[in-house]
Amino acid sequence: MTEPTLRVENLHTHFFTRQGVVKAVEDVSFSVAPGKILGLVGESGSGKSVTGYSIMGLVDPPGRRVAGRILLGGDDLCAMTSEQMRSVRGRRIAMIFQDPMMTLNPVLRIDTQMIEAIRAHTSVSRVVARERARDALAQVGISAPEERLLAYPHQFSGGMRQRVAIAIALLNKPELIIADEPTTALDVTIQAQILFEMQTLARDSGTALIWITHDLSVIAGLADEICVMYAGRIVEQGTVDAVLDAPLHPYTHGLIDSVPSRGRRGEPLRQIPGMAPSLLDPAQGCAFRERCSRADSACIDQPALSIPIAGRQLRCFHPMPSAAIA
Amino acid sequence: MPAFVIRRLLQSVLVLGVMSLLVFAGVYAIGNPVDILIDPQAGQADIARAISALGLDRPLVEQYLIFLRQALAGDLGNSFVYNVPAIQLILERMPATLELALAATTLAVLLGIPLGLWAGLAPDSWQGKLIMSGSILGFSLPTFWVGLLLIMLFAVELGWLPASGRGPTTEFLGVQVSFLSWDGMRHLILPAINLALFKLSLIIRLTRAGTREALLQDYVKFARAKGLSNARVVGVHVLKNIMIPVVTVIGLEFGSVIAFAIVTESIFGWPGMGKLIIDSINVLDRPVIVAYLLVIVFLVILINLAVDIVYSLLDPRVRIGEAQA
Ligand SMILES: Nc1ncnc2c1ncn2[C@@H]1O[C@H](COP(=O)(O)OP(=O)(O)O)[C@@H](O)[C@H]1O
Ligand code: SF4
Ligand SMILES: [Mg+2]
């Protein structure tokens, strides 16, 4: 097996707010191999973005990584100085955000925003940086890139802006790209195009990709592996096919059930009952307990991570009955 | 852009016309200048002669029309007191006021933006809190009181700076200015600080609020995610965004700095338009009052126009909108 690009080990990120400690990320571990796509799925508020920011070293105060290791090609990001971390950001790891309308600075031209991203890491002339910026725009399918470099963000559509953000992420040929719901704000056709392009890109360039989404159907056709997050913890992990075909965790099962599908046309959508729990002072035991049909007295304890089958990980005392395990 | 400027200039002419009417009517409503100008012992015939010499015996409408016709020819009437053209009096005093206002604004900007940035970047530090408390003081202390305090401290107690007057002036680009000589500069410092205080507080608050808001924006996080240095994130990404509201407010407030200069000029005996207008109001020198108000309105209109142009240069979204319109 190849050495993973990124390995996250027992990451804990907490927000020390006035009301108390918000445990946004609790004991999260996963890894991504070069050229592979890891899908990070979960309801909104489950800690996906904070996981991404933790890797980038961009958790806003009052938040802080309190424990764990984040290894990028063997270097522990948690042990780095802020200057070392700055030089990792944008060069070895790039991040793309959810809302393309908000990620580009409205008062700076595209060329400024691209050239600065190159020159923050490599001492090249403006002219050379500009050529690289132009090529990156062309690479993500923006026509007349030379002229578009002179434009301001508001002169682009949402889809085009997200392409610009992707082009910026690609500029320094990073080992890892973290894409935080980058297509959620776009319409379906553009979403499909961008998904396809990103997939090709990861495969061709060997870039590892973490794709954050709340939408299982996006992950299904895209990712190699999947991590399901619930209330700050990863509750189930495995290859996409294995997890989607035979979910073991009741929460994953509920998520799959709530995706509209052709086979069940006409039936009402099945929703997971209840609401995502608050991460501020969570109750003891399994966080899904209140909403779980399989919960019993055992679930008052926090289930540990187990390996029910090779290549799978799970946090549940009573996994779903599944042909795969039986 | 040219069409925009021409449209704005035409609007300005209209505003000036309306203002002239309002100012004229308003000033006419206050007191009778003859009571003040003429020796109370003067005979009935002397008073009548004075009234007719000043044109005060004609109907109000006629007085306004005469005023308007002369105003269009650049003549706003002679001062009752100095017996020279009112506009000339104003224009003579204008450089002193403009210099004071510019010095105060420069001071407010040079101090206000860095302090506001600091308070915005570290709102919970003791420095950030100190800056904010200071700006609340600057807002709430009355200008004249601060002015007297400055005089007491720096002129009377310490004797470092002169208490009053403009000091020697030097010619610069055809106008007399104080700031080029050391002694002139010493005269300028206290009134400039006095006049700057309120604007300084305003700029600190605006800059702080803008900074705090910008720091929460995705584009700042994205800029950090690109690996930019903190200096570049703050100095380019944050600053360029907050400059839009800050420049707009500084520009629009420049008119009020000129108007507020009245208080400062009176306290520090600064020979500008503000001091002139206070003196003229005391003796009901109507032509000077009218000329002053019209000049101020004209200045404010010019400033607003300049602000609009600068604003459209700073904000690309506005620039494009204007081009398409
Ligand atoms: N700045 C913050 N201050 C306090 N809590 C925060 C902050 N940012 C995020 N959180 C907490 O972290 C949790 C996870 O947030 P997030 O990672 O954004 O969720 P997701 O991306 O999965 O929708 C949220 O429930 C929220 O309570
Ligand atoms: S541990 Fe218990 S409550 Fe939690 S998901 Fe499994 S069965 Fe449900
Ligand atoms: Mg999120």
Side-chain angles (χ1 to χ4, degrees), chain A residues 249-250 286 288-289 292 294-295 299 303 316-318:
Chain A
H249 198 282
C286 178
F288 192 53
R289 204 173 64 216
C292 180
R294 304 176 69 79
C299 308
C316 177
F317 293 116
H318 311 294

Side-chain angles (χ1 to χ4, degrees), chain A residues 43-310:
Chain A
E43 285 168 308
S44 143
S46 54
K48 308 180 298 291
S49 297
V50 174
T51 304
Y53 297 146
S54 301
I55 297 168
M56 294 296 283
L58 283 179
V59 181
D60 285 323
R64 195 152 47 80
R65 295 181 300 212
V66 288
R69 294 209 302 166
I70 301 171
L71 297 163
L72 180 71
D75 304 321
D76 187 358
L77 302 184
C78 295
M80 285 189 175
T81 65
S82 58
E83 173 54 27
Q84 287 170 325
M85 202 53 223
R86 182 203 64 73
S87 116
V88 166
R89 280 196 289 270
R91 184 172 58 93
R92 299 183 62 190
I93 315 176
M95 189 158 177
I96 307 166
F97 296 119
Q98 173 167 356
D99 189 350
M101 296 307 190
M102 309 298 292
T103 43
L104 298 173
N105 192 321
V107 300
L108 297 176
R109 280 198 331 224
I110 300 298
D111 58 351
T112 314
Q113 303 194 45
M114 295 187 83
I115 290 170
E116 68 180 2
I118 297 172
R119 285 169 43 110
H121 302 289
T122 350
S123 50
V124 291
S125 72
R126 246 161 217 295
V127 180
V128 173
R130 193 190 180 79
E131 281 165 11
R132 275 175 57 187
R134 184 199 56 206
D135 296 345
L137 284 187
Q139 191 188 347
V140 295
I142 290 179
S143 52
E146 191 73 54
E147 289 143 48
R148 301 309 263 162
L149 275 179
L150 298 178
Y152 285 91
H154 70 271
Q155 293 165 280
F156 289 82
S157 68
M160 280 297 156
R161 280 192 224 192
Q162 199 58 293
R163 280 168 199 269
V164 173
I166 293 170
I168 290 176
L170 298 178
L171 278 173
N172 296 302
K173 306 200 168 27
E175 297 150 53
L176 170 71
I177 296 178
I178 303 171
D180 189 356
E181 314 216 21
T183 56
T184 308
L186 306 178
D187 64 50
V188 186
T189 38
I190 294 169
Q191 175 172 334
Q193 283 170 15
I194 288 185
L195 286 178
F196 175 74
E197 284 160 20
M198 290 300 283
Q199 198 170 22
T200 321
L201 182 123
R203 232 147 256 173
D204 295 351
S205 64
T207 307
L209 197 57
I210 297 176
W211 196 279
I212 296 175
T213 180
H214 64 268
D215 185 351
L216 259 188
S217 56
V218 166
I219 288 293
L222 176 78
D224 302 294
E225 265 200 52
I226 181 170
C227 287
V228 180
M229 259 187 113
Y230 188 80
R233 286 190 164 82
I234 291 182
V235 294
E236 178 160 19
Q237 177 263 325
T239 64
V240 166
D241 293 341
V243 171
L244 295 188
D245 289 349
L248 297 175
H249 198 282
Y251 175 64
T252 317
H253 183 81
L255 272 185
I256 295 172
D257 245 16
S258 60
V259 174
S261 84
R262 240 173 296 177
R264 294 205 313 267
R265 195 191 292 247
E267 292 177 37
L269 276 182
R270 270 168 265 178
Q271 290 290 329
I272 305 175
M275 282 188 347
S278 156
L279 300 184
L280 183 71
D281 297 324
Q284 273 284 304
C286 178
F288 192 53
R289 204 173 64 216
E290 307 276 285
R291 304 167 74 184
C292 180
S293 57
R294 304 176 69 79
D296 67 10
S297 55
C299 308
I300 295 182
D301 291 326
Q302 175 64 46
L305 209 58
S306 62
I307 303 181
I309 330 168

Side-chain angles (χ1 to χ4, degrees), chain A residues 11-15 22-25 50 54 59 64-66:
Chain A
L11 175 69
H12 293 70
T13 301
H14 297 171
F15 288 89
V22 177
K23 297 181 175 173
V25 174
V50 174
S54 301
V59 181
R64 195 152 47 80
R65 295 181 300 212
V66 288

Side-chain angles (χ1 to χ4, degrees), chain B residues 49-113:
Chain B
R49 204 168 329 110
I51 287 180
S52 102
L54 295 171
L56 297 175
D57 53 346
R58 308 186 193 194
L60 187 52
V61 176
E62 197 182 328
Q63 284 188 45
Y64 175 69
L65 288 178
I66 292 170
F67 160 77
L68 200 61
R69 177 153 26 85
Q70 291 174 340
L72 287 176
D75 175 9
L76 292 177
N78 278 7
S79 159
F80 294 160
V81 178
Y82 302 92
N83 203 26
V84 292
I87 190 77
Q88 181 192 328
L89 273 180
I90 303 281
L91 292 181
E92 275 169 11
R93 308 292 190 97
M94 195 148 75
T97 297
L98 287 184
E99 181 178 20
L100 180 61
L102 275 175
T105 302
T106 310
L107 206 62
V109 169
L110 289 185
L111 286 176
I113 291 181

Side-chain angles (χ1 to χ4, degrees), chain A residues 53 56 58 60 86 89-91 93-97 99 102-108 112-114 116-117 120-121 152 154-155 165 168, chain B residues 124 215-230 232 236-238 240-241 244 313-321:
Chain A
Y53 297 146
M56 294 296 283
L58 283 179
D60 285 323
R86 182 203 64 73
R89 280 196 289 270
R91 184 172 58 93
I93 315 176
M95 189 158 177
I96 307 166
F97 296 119
D99 189 350
M102 309 298 292
T103 43
L104 298 173
N105 192 321
V107 300
L108 297 176
T112 314
Q113 303 194 45
M114 295 187 83
E116 68 180 2
H121 302 289
Y152 285 91
H154 70 271
Q155 293 165 280
I168 290 176
Chain B
D124 296 324
L215 286 180
L216 297 176
Q217 302 294 315
D218 274 1
Y219 64 76
V220 166
K221 202 154 207 168
F222 190 62
R224 291 197 199 286
K226 292 195 290 192
L228 303 187
S229 66
N230 211 26
R232 181 148 181 112
V236 176
H237 285 258
V238 171
K240 259 211 120 168
N241 274 281
I244 295 172
L313 291 179
L314 277 177
D315 193 336
R317 289 160 295 192
V318 175
R319 207 180 314 157
I320 299 303

